[in-house]
Amino acid sequence: MTGRSRIARPTEQAAIRAATRSARPLPSVPSLLAALLEANERRDREAVTLCAHLVVRASEPEVGE
């Protein structure tokens, strides 16, 4: 078959650039803290780490004031 056209696929860098163009809204700090407490009660270390990082990102403007 000689009539095939090439399908352009985004590279990893292009995908990262596209994802960082717009800010994604984070859940509120109280709901993230509730999720953190629940993850801690369930002894889910990965979820605890994820929730802790999200709390810091969500409260970033308030940190250091």
Side-chain angles (χ1 to χ4, degrees), residues 3-52:
R4 285 191 174 175
S5 62
R6 186 178 177 294
I7 299 174
R9 290 182 171 77
T11 63
E12 182 179 359
Q13 291 299 324
I16 291 171
R17 278 194 304 272
T20 58
R21 275 189 214 127
S22 61
R24 297 179 186 189
L26 292 171
S28 65
V29 174
S31 65
L32 288 172
L33 288 174
L36 176 64
L37 290 174
E38 185 176 337
N40 196 31
E41 288 174 4
R42 294 177 182 219
R43 301 186 190 279
D44 185 350
R45 292 173 59 191
E46 187 173 337
V48 168
T49 303
L50 177 62
C51 290

